[in-house]
Amino acid sequence: MRQLGPAGLALIVLCISVAGGTSGAGCSILLDSSANPYKCVTDDDCVRFPSAACDDIKKECVPRLPMFDAGMVDTGGAGGTSGLTCELSFDNKARINVTGPDGGLRPLPPQDGGP
Amino acid sequence: MTARRLTTMLAGLTVALAARSVGAVECATLPMTIYATGSTAAKPLLAEIGKFMAGQTPAVTVVYLGAGSCAGVDAILSGTPIMATGLSYWDTSGTEQKCDVTSASGVSANIGISDVFATTCFKLPGGVPASVSDTLGPVQAMMFVTHRLSVEKAISAEAAYNVYGFGGQSQVPPWTFEGSIFRRDALSGTQAMIATAIGVPADQWQGTATTSSSDMVMRVGMANFANQSIGILSAEVAQDNRQMIKVLAYQNFGQTCAIFPDSSEMANDKTNVRNGQYPIWGPLHLFVRLNASGFPVNAKAGEVVGYIAGTRPAPAGLDLVKIEAQRHAVPPCAMRVRRMQEMGPPMSVAPTGACGCYYEMAATNATTCKKCSTASECPASAPICSYGYCETQ
């Protein structure tokens, strides 16, 4: 899921600053959701929807992506998503017989000129 | 991959292709030819569009050479000419025909097609040059496969790293026999994408080389020892050959669950690609050269790219969503995620003119979505009527 970057933070700070001053026009235009309730700038603008995030491209709230480990979350919605349970697992500890010095992946062998 | 090594491989490929003699017509004599080269996975799509373009007035001939994804990138970014015989084109009935390029200087490609980002093939510190457009098309998933009778059902990224990084010395049973570990080559989009996923550079893969996707199917599917066999394929080829091979579920680095690209091993819905759960996927890249005004140098090439990418309305009678669904690819309008770099983090998207329900119907002949003619027939939970079905957005 996209993280709120410095630009996003700066925008929110700017909005708060402007809104607290004499003119809130700039901020209210950016975050006005009356015409399009799905409009957003950051994920924070989507908290009014259950499990939603801000689409980086369209700047609209869309269903939040499921967790990417253990595959157990239903994304819901029409059009091709469904619940997922973890039915298969590859046991790395039992099946990978050689690891690197730190217990992780061993370094690849040195190249000998390649293919 | 180093530029020198890739150049050497491309030169070898050009010579090999030019050496073949088929005895067909000269491509340049065909009506208004557009030359496309690169990924072999794009051929079925090009066949449909080639058939349609051949029936236009005036007729346009789409000529295609499958040469590997990175060769497609190279053809547009470096201008490496096509010099080969036995190129494909399609007549108005959709029948594949062959033509030759015999000119000593070759011909320039109008469209380069790649399964992977240009930066996966070449070091491009500044990205794709401004004089070239990279249009994203349908999504293709890549996968590990084994013999259909193998008892193996899944592989992890860590295991794949050892298998393809060390070959017969993988120490990951049962994939410990060099002769049963099958790879493609560094020009292959399938190998390049999976290389990024498992952290073994595409030009350092161990195992036994295969010459094409169909060769891969034969070698894996006819391996003497089913359990020891392993290979890589795009979804299109893998899932069209289930009588010989089976797809392994894939478990990404650090995870504990292996996932199929579809909702189950034998399904065709690409559910876990479309929602981003299955990790090894990427959009087809369509490269064309641009003029000083930012438009395709060859307008007809731009038109073809627009159809494939879905950025240009498909003409009547050309149902690309259905074609892509039946070829195990996913059109952008059926995706709920996108990524901007090879194996980069998936981001949520709400495609305009969503076609997830229609895609599901075309791919599996079933959908839980409600049919509709107008939005007024749709429930609040799926208020948009698109492609004849109620969509959420």
Side-chain angles (χ1 to χ4, degrees):
Chain A
M1 182 56 57
R2 181 180 62 80
Q3 298 297 309
L4 189 62
L9 286 170
L11 181 61
I12 290 175
V13 171
L14 176 65
C15 286
I16 293 169
S17 172
V18 173
T22 54
S23 169
C27 186
S28 63
I29 289 171
L30 277 174
L31 295 178
D32 178 16
S33 60
S34 57
N36 178 357
Y38 299 105
K39 195 170 184 177
C40 61
V41 174
T42 73
D43 287 351
D44 293 345
D45 302 328
C46 300
V47 293
R48 59 187 179 280
F49 301 108
S51 191
C54 189
D55 181 327
D56 284 314
I57 309 299
K58 293 183 67 177
K59 300 300 179 191
E60 288 185 357
C61 297
V62 297
R64 186 176 287 277
L65 292 181
M67 297 294 289
F68 279 86
D69 188 21
M72 60 184 69
V73 180
D74 190 342
T75 57
T81 57
S82 62
L84 189 68
T85 55
C86 188
E87 296 174 352
L88 287 170
S89 184
F90 189 95
D91 188 346
N92 284 325
K93 283 186 179 175
R95 297 189 58 179
I96 298 177
N97 295 327
V98 178
T99 58
D102 60 353
L105 296 171
R106 54 183 162 154
L108 290 171
Q111 286 184 264
D112 58 356
Chain B
M1 183 186 316
T2 66
R4 184 175 62 81
R5 178 173 294 173
L6 182 61
T7 302
T8 303
M9 294 177 71
L10 287 168
L13 178 68
T14 301
V15 169
L17 291 169
R20 287 186 288 142
S21 178
V22 175
V25 300
E26 183 71 30
C27 298
T29 64
L30 298 167
M32 203 182 294
T33 47
I34 294 171
Y35 294 94
T37 186
S39 165
T40 54
K43 187 175 180 181
L45 275 179
L46 282 178
E48 295 293 337
I49 290 171
K51 172 187 170 183
F52 172 79
M53 298 299 281
Q56 294 292 285
T57 305
V60 175
T61 309
V62 177
V63 176
Y64 165 77
L65 173 65
S69 289
C70 293
V73 176
D74 179 70
I76 300 299
L77 266 63
S78 306
T80 302
I82 296 173
M83 288 185 283
T85 55
L87 282 74
S88 300
Y89 71 96
W90 295 268
D91 61 23
T92 52
S93 70
T95 304
E96 184 177 350
Q97 308 285 349
K98 296 291 182 181
C99 67
D100 298 341
V101 174
T102 56
S103 159
S105 56
V107 295
S108 296
N110 303 115
I111 305 172
I113 307 173
S114 173
D115 296 329
V116 292
F117 286 80
T119 47
T120 300
C121 297
F122 299 101
K123 287 178 181 171
L124 300 169
V128 174
S131 58
V132 171
S133 70
D134 175 5
T135 306
L136 304 184
V139 162
Q140 182 82 272
M142 305 301 180
M143 45 202 63
F144 292 94
V145 296
T146 184
H147 191 285
R148 71 181 177 87
L149 298 179
S150 170
V151 299
E152 298 300 324
K153 291 184 176 297
I155 188 169
S156 68
E158 291 88 345
Y161 170 92
N162 280 284
V163 170
Y164 281 107
F166 296 86
Q169 304 302 313
S170 74
Q171 301 284 330
V172 182
W175 303 301
T176 54
F177 296 92
E178 189 86 6
S180 299
I181 298 170
F182 298 104
R183 63 172 170 85
R184 289 288 306 281
D185 57 58
L187 294 180
S188 155
T190 306
Q191 183 157 317
M193 191 188 297
I194 295 179
T196 306
I198 65 173
V200 178
D203 58 353
Q204 292 183 41
W205 278 40
Q206 306 299 309
T208 302
T210 58
T211 56
S212 65
S213 293
S214 52
D215 186 34
M216 175 71 76
V217 171
M218 295 301 290
R219 303 290 286 275
V220 174
M222 300 183 76
N224 288 330
F225 303 99
N227 291 347
Q228 285 90 342
S229 69
I230 188 166
I232 56 167
L233 286 169
S234 65
E236 177 190 9
V237 182
Q239 298 187 320
D240 267 354
N241 288 282
R242 281 169 162 155
Q243 75 281 12
M244 296 186 71
I245 56 172
K246 71 174 183 181
V247 173
L248 292 171
Y250 178 72
Q251 181 174 303
N252 213 349
F253 281 112
Q255 296 192 355
T256 55
C257 187
I259 296 171
F260 287 111
D262 300 280
S263 56
S264 67
E265 181 181 349
M266 298 306 289
N268 282 319
D269 50 30
K270 297 293 166 297
T271 292
N272 296 329
V273 176
R274 293 166 57 207
N275 65 21
Q277 295 252 20
Y278 181 82
I280 312 177
W281 58 268
L284 195 68
H285 297 257
L286 303 148
F287 298 95
V288 298
R289 275 186 294 276
L290 304 175
N291 60 25
S293 303
F295 294 105
V297 170
N298 183 313
K300 286 294 179 187
E303 199 175 308
V304 169
V305 165
Y307 292 149
I308 297 175
T311 55
R312 188 183 185 97
L318 188 61
D319 189 346
L320 285 169
V321 172
K322 189 173 184 180
I323 292 166
E324 288 164 13
Q326 292 171 344
R327 302 312 306 169
H328 308 288
V330 185
C333 60
M335 290 292 293
R336 296 185 63 199
V337 291
R338 60 180 284 170
R339 57 175 28 139
M340 301 308 291
Q341 65 188 71
E342 210 74 77
M343 293 299 298
M347 298 177 290
S348 296
V349 290
T352 303
C355 65
C357 297
Y358 181 66
Y359 173 85
E360 209 170 64
M361 190 67 193
T364 67
N365 208 28
T367 179
T368 55
C369 302
K370 185 176 188 284
K371 276 191 170 181
C372 61
S373 301
T374 66
S376 63
E377 301 168 29
C378 295
S381 59
I384 309 296
C385 186
S386 184
Y387 282 84
Y389 291 94
C390 297
E391 295 271 2
T392 53
Q393 50 207 329

